[in-house]
Amino acid sequence: METFPEKGRSWQHGASRAHRRPARPERGGAVAATIKDVAASAGVGIATVSRVFSGTGAVSAATRERVLAAARDLHYRPSAVGRSLKTRRTGGLGLAVPDATDPFCADLIGGVLDCARTLGQHVLLDATLGDPAREAEIADRFAEQRVDGVIAVPSGTGDPWEGFPRAGVPLVFAGRVPSCRTWTGRAPAVLADDAAGIRSAVEYLVGLGHRRVGFLGAPAPGTPPDVREDAFRAALTALGVPVEEDLVARARPTRDSAYAAAAGLLQRRSDLTAVLASGHLPGEAAVLVARELDLRVPADLSIAMVDDVAWAELCDPPLTAVSRPARDLGYRACELAARGGVRRGPSGPVLLPTELVVRGSCGPAPSRRARH
């Protein structure tokens, strides 16, 4: 079939000018297809193509499929830059966690990324490292980048994030809320049911005969009790077991602080028979200190903790743990942020169930005697 050159292109002789198919972009630097090329290939107007990719306006199913088929054939991708200039948004979600290497946070991040991928969103990730000043900088950066929504695992009061709802940007807290004594629910949250998890662990330990149960990793001195400490106290009280203040060990969320708190607790209370750690850092510290003090687990000391991280099952003996659904928390938080932070159903945080995973680190309480 004859071809005739026309301004650098070759066209099949006799092809309809209105429905001719632009050349497919080749790898190696050729000009990419434009929205005009897609419209010409699908035999529709540019406005129709725009409605298909923006998801706005009425387009029939047949027309939509024709446009998408043409876009696939031409390897067309909508311009994120153009879309952001028009909407004044980047089309992405901001995600702030305390530590991206932390096992719980890593699973939560995985859940956010899974959800974002299905929604066609990209995620801007940063770590606060538990530093309020750094958290404020990250919040400012997300605001400057005009993200479409924010998912935050707050480190403190949550003040750095308050401007987003006022600016009409969806904000969702995940895993925990800002200092629960001051948080007023101004932003939605997706949380694990920590209170139920702590209650199940306390009931299990008391059921094994333990009456001197330590709580390791309560919020540092000068900060209000959190949900886990409140639940620990309430569970013991409900079971008729006195709450001894000397058995509540406080620590900051660092390995050094957790270790110091565990060492102080186990050395000053030789009559302690069980420890419930509020997270995997104090749980790790309890295991290390017990080993250094030559305490047999569970013969001398039973240990349970919140967060069923991978190493818990590898301990000798494996650790009993409250499993929190980190990946599901991230996925649900991303869904909520992507639909504008509007929660369907009853108000209040979205609570996901926890599960007590019983392993070999807990046993019957030893006889009432001081350890040597």
Side-chain angles (χ1 to χ4, degrees), residues 62 75 201 204 216 261 330:
H75 297 266
Y204 177 65
L216 177 59

Side-chain angles (χ1 to χ4, degrees), residues 117-134:
R117 191 174 300 114
T118 65
L119 297 174
Q121 291 271 13
H122 66 270
V123 177
L124 305 176
L125 171 65
D126 212 329
T128 65
L129 304 180
D131 180 359
R134 183 180 176 92

Side-chain angles (χ1 to χ4, degrees), residues 20 52 64 81 144 181 185 189 195 233 247 279 289 332 334 361:
R20 64 196 178 197
V52 168
R64 174 181 173 82
V81 174
E144 290 170 359
R181 298 300 191 191
R233 293 173 178 275
L247 294 182
V289 173
R332 294 286 295 277
C334 184
S361 65

